[in-house]
Amino acid sequence: MESAISFLLPLFLAAAALLFGKGAVTISNLAGESLQRDRHTPLGGAAAFALGAQILLLPGEAAWLLTMRSGADLGTGVRRFALFFIALGTLCYFSWIGISLWKKWTSEEKPEEEKKPPREPLSPLWIAVPLLLSGVILCLLITGHRVSLRGDLTAETVASAMHTGSLYSVNPMTGMPYTEGVPTRLRILCLPFLYAVLGRVFHISAPVLVWRIFPVFWFLAGLCAWISLSGVCFRDRKKRLLFLSLILLLLFASDAAFPYDGFLVLSAGWTGPAIRAWLLIPSLTDLLLRRKYLLAFLPVLCEGILVWTLFGAKSCALLYAGICLASFLYGRFLKKRGKEGA
Amino acid sequence: MMNRLAGFVTGFHEVTRDNKVLVFFLLGTLLLCCFRELRRHFLSRRTMPLALYAGAASVLVILPPTAWALSLYFTAYDSYAMFWSIVPVNLLIAFTGCTAFFAYEEKLRSLSLPIRAALLLLLTAAVLLCGDCGQGLWRRDAAPKEPDPVKELRARYPEGTYLLAPDDIQAAVRIYAPEFQTLYGRDLWDPSLQGYTYDKYSEEIALCRDALTDFRYYARLSDAEKVLQTAADTGVRTVLLPGNEESRPEELSKAADRYGFTYEDLRTEGGHYFLFERP
């Protein structure tokens, strides 16, 4: 039975993601305006939510590393998480508000003709299709009908941590003390800690938290990343909506087995690989295509603290390096062709 | 070395068999190569780096020698299918599909409405058939709700107990009732979980699990005795055996006495079980 306070968790997650994201996007847009000038493509609200969801992981990881190193219990971990969360939240809040106010005071009023032209009307079908597909996916995630536990022990780990008051003190599979222990690389991942902390604060049981609330949160954050990416790829609203519809349809098409995107998002949305496939990769591509190279380190870092591999940042790091190299080579090619043309 | 290279060829076949979306990806690439008009729309200045990267990454993953080089970058835990995570497949299919649609929008508009509707239906069906045609929407690999036998056990043992039960009950207990301890966990029968801990189960425990699983189907007394003996040796306090029409309660009761357990017939809405408790 969940307590009354548990209904505040979705609100808390949404507010935190928006606050963190707005702070980061405001700073990034300001830097972009002054450094890139005419090549600057500002990040919008959707990108802010996607980035905020990723930034939310950072206080979790910092608190978890401190807690793990000192061998403290989950209660101490909760206090440390709250401390980092409030510090980062305050920083983001003042950056967002401060820069927005400063820009408002310093910018001149735009003449009427420079303001955005009114949007051309769209047939409701263009909007209905992505909305319908998102609705179906959200229903599946909220009801928890598609949960697959194969290869994942997050729910057991979180339930054990909330019961014993410390993470990895017992083997989550049996509840007995470890005889040999767990790999260090697994121990530094922050998701079980973050889920356990929020489960304890909001009094939510592990299955509801892990299988229902967080898949919905990560899905919405990922959807925002795709919306932002569609804005980079296409300027036309129709094209953007068709692109989103195809992306959502492809989730059902790639719902074959682990580790394909559709299966990960629909059946294991709380896991690191699902977050990587649905949120980190589109967010990283979006940032790189907008030339936000510094901010694009965030998804790379997040993959390192979410996905269990021997050296963490893997697919995102390769994508980052690959697109940067391709941009550089293509820029050289264009320059050379321009010179030859002249 | 040759075996590993051959493994990547087999891996590619398996991946394209399991995930037909990749076929769409390859089809999209082919379309891009063939139609100049499509290429002109697709390869804008802004998206060119993405296209270049995706092309290079696809080659890296598909060709066996480069896939082998890539395997050095990945870890031993990553299967060939995981290598595809470096190629933004869905993004590129959606991008190509969207570009193709708008590149040929005028030509599509010139078609009659029934043909357009048929084309749309055909394409949607083709995309959905790549998955499992909607069947997977309602698949249940694990029950999201607490099973009835677990509720019954929680009511009987509010402080928890050291339990030995069928796989589904033991897996659910560790999620819904973490105060319970179990002799072994899901990692015994799900090999993909074995990398999460250095701990290993003894052969005796594996044999006990086999006997418990067999008892569900064959109701052999020898299997029940094997389970009870392991439980007695390892200090397990509560044993739950799955009910079977062919099992004989008198024999089970006698076996319980021999190994120091009490015997009880347990009927829940979730099924029929035999409950053995250490007094």
Side-chain angles (χ1 to χ4, degrees), chain A residues 145-146 152 160 180 311 315, chain B residues 73 85 139 174 186 195 199:
Chain A
H145 268 276
R146 288 294 312 268
D152 181 75
S160 298
E180 300 290 331
F311 33 86
S315 303
Chain B
Y73 179 66
S85 67
R139 178 181 57 224
R174 287 301 307 151
R186 209 152 44 83
D199 290 8

Side-chain angles (χ1 to χ4, degrees), chain A residues 33-87:
Chain A
E33 276 168 24
S34 54
L35 296 174
Q36 295 178 329
R37 294 180 195 282
D38 54 324
R39 290 192 329 188
H40 169 61
T41 44
L43 293 160
F49 191 86
L51 282 169
Q54 295 168 54
I55 295 171
L56 182 65
L57 296 166
L58 301 182
E61 178 68 14
W64 166 232
L65 287 180
L66 268 180
T67 308
M68 184 182 60
R69 275 188 69 83
S70 62
D73 62 357
L74 197 62
T76 314
V78 170
R79 284 193 291 278
R80 284 174 179 162
F81 173 75
L83 196 72
F84 286 121
F85 181 88
I86 291 168

Side-chain angles (χ1 to χ4, degrees), chain A residues 124-135 241 244-246 248-249:
Chain A
L125 195 69
W126 289 100
I127 302 166
V129 174
L131 270 181
L132 180 75
L133 290 169
S134 311
L241 288 166
L244 278 179
S245 305
L246 287 175
L248 291 165
L249 198 63

Side-chain angles (χ1 to χ4, degrees), chain A residues 160 163-164 169-178, chain B residues 162 174 178-185 201:
Chain A
S160 298
H163 174 68
T164 58
S169 60
V170 296
N171 184 341
M173 293 282 94
T174 59
M176 305 292 278
Y178 279 110
Chain B
Y162 190 12
R174 287 301 307 151
E179 63 274 18
F180 280 64
Q181 293 172 331
T182 54
L183 182 60
Y184 54 84
Y201 296 112

Side-chain angles (χ1 to χ4, degrees), chain A residues 138-171:
Chain A
L138 279 174
C139 282
L140 291 172
L141 296 178
I142 290 168
T143 53
H145 268 276
R146 288 294 312 268
V147 167
S148 169
L149 295 187
R150 191 187 156 275
D152 181 75
L153 41 72
T154 312
E156 285 96 337
T157 311
V158 173
S160 298
M162 284 163 69
H163 174 68
T164 58
S166 62
L167 210 54
Y168 300 121
S169 60
V170 296
N171 184 341

Side-chain angles (χ1 to χ4, degrees), chain B residues 221-238:
Chain B
L221 183 66
S222 58
D223 286 331
E225 284 186 329
K226 171 72 189 161
V227 172
L228 290 174
Q229 188 187 356
T230 311
D233 293 347
T234 49
V236 169
R237 299 201 67 81
T238 310

Side-chain angles (χ1 to χ4, degrees), chain A residues 24 26 37 98 108 118 136 157 169 185 279 285 330:
Chain A
T26 312
R37 294 180 195 282
E108 291 167 10
V136 171
T157 311
S169 60
R185 180 71 196 102
L279 170 64
T285 314
Y330 185 58

